[in-house]
Amino acid sequence: MSASGARWSNWAGSESVRPVRVERPASVGAVQRAVQAAAAAGLRIKAVGSGHSFSGIAVAPGVQLDLNDLSGLVAVDESLDQVTLAAGTRLHQLPALLAPHGLALANLGDIDRQSIAGATSTGTHGTGGGFGGLATQITAVTLVTADGGLLRVNAAENAELLPAARLGLGALGILVDVTVQCVPRFLLHAVETAEPLEEVLEGYLDRSRTVDHFEFYWFPHTGSALTKSNTRLPGDAARAPVGRLSGWVDDELFANGAYRGICAAGTALPGLVPGFNRLAERLAGRREYTDASHRVFVSRRTVRFHEMEYALPRHLVPAALREVRALIDARGWRISFPLEVRSAAADELWLSTAQGRETGYIAVHRYHREDPAEYFHAVEAIMRAHDGRPHWGKMHYRDAETLRPAYPRFADFLQVRDRLDPERRFSNSYLERVLGR
């Protein structure tokens, strides 16, 4: 089904476009026909996912493919704990799809609104020094290529393309399904508490190695970090979930409802922000609970924001965060949103932000009604000085010239792009900037 395009915008409101045409295919064959029709009309075509990227990676001025109807479980290989999912399947749908098979994803980020294809294509990750991002869990993909053909990429077919296709930025074709290596379902024992920031920075490298999933948040203008330590437990271990009232107060009232008002007030009266952040620091208490992995990994986020995230060699994270703290103080900025610090294992995907090195992540945010440019540009300069790589799905200001030296296999990826999409049928202005024309 096709229609003329209404104006589309991403979740944060940082990107928008009015496509020439919107296609909503419900089958792989319909995706192939949409690609062929776009080529015949001389239009570019892109799948849009859930629109949760902060960058322009999914912007589709030509033909926008909405894959909501290409969703669900395609196949299960219980002998290998692998599942094949249609590309439009949302991450929040996976627990219900995997539960009958006793499976779970090995790791998740703290937002689950993304489509499986969009999440792997942009390098979505969670935290855990021994765990890779979502794309490292992909064992096979099926692409619709620029001529409308189907290309299967796995260990037995076109295996040389796997390091590119598992994290392809949407530049190689339209993903129609992905095969994911799952694990037996498991629980997480979570401990959340406030600790002195300097002590957390001193212990970050050790905790990122020894805790299964460690992360922390730092609210500017405070001296504390809010730490989250998650330990993996067998699926049949005893659950002790957060109480319904306690969870509503912490996650809905404070983290979303009240916080929205605080951010809005801080936008109008920036001088209030340090006091608000110090109040949050004082109110943060210890919370301990055990629940199914996806319920612990994922947090509900209703307050909209802009985000930039950089991947650094892990040992450089504490120094870089200290420089950002000094920058905020020196500029006199009032920053209401916290910085988030996570980690990931090294991998060998050509455009993965963790390619070839143990990685730490620093994410910075601004409320969606605030202009993030000055803050993000200045933070990016610090991250670049620490050999940082920007998250492909989040805001940044890099281009192909500056990104090429950051990725040893950058040229190899471009060769695959030239092979699969020589006419740049799947390109847009963002991909032209970060990969070249």
Side-chain angles (χ1 to χ4, degrees):
M1 183 174 70
S2 65
S4 59
R7 179 157 290 278
W8 170 90
S9 64
N10 63 351
W11 179 82
S14 55
E15 299 286 344
S16 65
V17 70
R18 189 182 299 277
V20 172
R21 187 166 72 241
V22 176
E23 300 271 0
R24 298 181 175 88
S27 68
V28 172
V31 175
Q32 293 178 272
R33 291 190 293 274
V35 171
Q36 291 165 346
L43 295 172
R44 288 177 170 180
I45 182 169
K46 291 200 72 62
V48 71
S50 66
H52 226 289
S53 288
F54 299 86
S55 71
I57 194 167
V59 171
V63 179
Q64 181 187 79
L65 279 186
D66 180 340
L67 299 183
N68 273 329
D69 294 334
L70 196 69
S71 178
L73 201 58
V74 176
V76 179
D77 186 336
E78 295 191 348
S79 67
L80 296 175
D81 288 347
Q82 293 180 355
V83 300
T84 300
L85 300 159
T89 310
R90 299 297 193 257
L91 297 183
H92 66 82
Q93 297 172 315
L94 296 188
L97 294 173
L98 299 179
H101 308 283
L103 299 175
L105 292 188
N107 201 4
L108 271 171
D110 60 0
I111 295 175
D112 63 358
R113 300 294 101 179
Q114 307 97 321
S115 69
I116 186 71
T120 186
S121 295
T122 55
T124 293
H125 61 90
T127 192
F131 296 86
L134 181 59
T136 67
Q137 301 169 50
I138 303 298
T139 62
V141 305
T142 304
L143 286 163
V144 174
T145 55
D147 62 359
L150 285 180
L151 180 69
R152 187 70 175 161
V153 182
N154 56 40
E157 303 172 82
N158 303 297
E160 75 282 1
L161 301 180
L162 267 175
R166 288 197 283 173
L167 202 169
L169 311 188
L172 307 180
I174 305 295
L175 281 175
V176 290
D177 67 50
V178 298
T179 300
V180 185
Q181 180 64 59
C182 298
V183 298
R185 68 181 182 88
F186 61 99
L187 306 186
L188 287 171
H189 174 67
V191 177
E192 302 173 1
T193 190
E195 304 177 49
L197 175 63
E198 273 303 319
E199 291 183 11
V200 174
L201 292 177
E202 288 294 331
Y204 165 71
L205 290 179
D206 180 63
R207 292 171 81 171
S208 68
R209 283 193 298 264
T210 59
V211 177
D212 289 334
H213 305 277
F214 176 71
E215 65 182 305
F216 69 88
Y217 297 84
W218 171 63
F219 280 89
H221 322 297
T222 76
S224 298
L226 306 182
T227 63
K228 299 177 67 175
S229 301
N230 297 333
T231 301
R232 299 165 81 93
L233 299 174
D236 58 359
R239 291 175 63 241
V242 175
R244 182 172 297 180
L245 177 60
S246 173
W248 181 83
V249 170
D250 288 344
D251 298 330
E252 295 303 317
L253 180 59
F254 288 153
N256 289 307
Y259 192 55
R260 183 181 296 104
I262 288 171
C263 290
T267 301
L269 298 168
L272 297 176
V273 168
F276 283 142
N277 287 4
R278 287 191 286 270
L279 176 62
E281 178 185 34
R282 289 195 297 273
L283 292 175
R286 180 182 172 88
R287 188 166 75 160
E288 189 169 355
Y289 54 99
T290 301
D291 210 340
S293 57
H294 65 276
R295 294 195 181 100
V296 178
F297 281 137
V298 174
S299 301
R300 180 172 162 81
R301 293 283 182 263
T302 63
V303 181
R304 296 180 188 255
F305 53 86
H306 304 297
E307 182 174 0
M308 178 174 72
E309 183 178 63
Y310 259 81
L312 311 178
R314 195 182 301 167
H315 68 282
L316 298 180
V317 165
L321 192 139
R322 290 186 179 103
E323 289 189 32
V324 174
R325 179 180 58 183
L327 171 73
I328 292 171
D329 291 342
R331 298 286 182 92
W333 289 328
R334 299 293 181 255
I335 308 296
S336 57
F337 260 84
L339 283 74
E340 182 180 17
V341 176
R342 296 181 286 174
S343 59
D347 65 57
E348 293 306 321
L349 305 185
W350 291 350
L351 291 189
S352 169
T353 51
Q355 195 274 331
R357 66 192 193 191
E358 292 190 342
T359 294
Y361 294 95
I362 298 178
V364 295
H365 314 75
R366 292 305 305 256
Y367 183 52
H368 75 113
R369 298 191 184 281
E370 297 173 317
D371 182 355
E374 184 181 16
Y375 179 40
F376 284 8
H377 272 292
V379 171
E380 183 170 74
I382 292 172
M383 300 302 158
R384 290 186 62 177
H386 289 81
D387 198 17
R389 298 167 176 165
H391 189 301
W392 300 106
K394 300 180 183 181
M395 296 177 70
H396 66 92
Y397 308 98
R398 304 282 289 276
D399 58 20
E401 182 179 356
T402 66
L403 289 166
R404 183 186 296 268
Y407 289 92
R409 305 300 297 271
F410 194 84
D412 296 314
F413 184 89
L414 296 186
Q415 287 180 0
V416 173
R417 185 192 188 204
D418 287 341
R419 169 182 161 186
L420 298 183
D421 187 21
E423 297 182 354
R424 304 297 185 255
R425 187 67 53 204
F426 306 112
S427 191
N428 63 7
S429 59
Y430 176 83
L431 292 181
E432 288 178 349
R433 173 164 67 89
V434 299
L435 297 178
R437 293 182 180 271

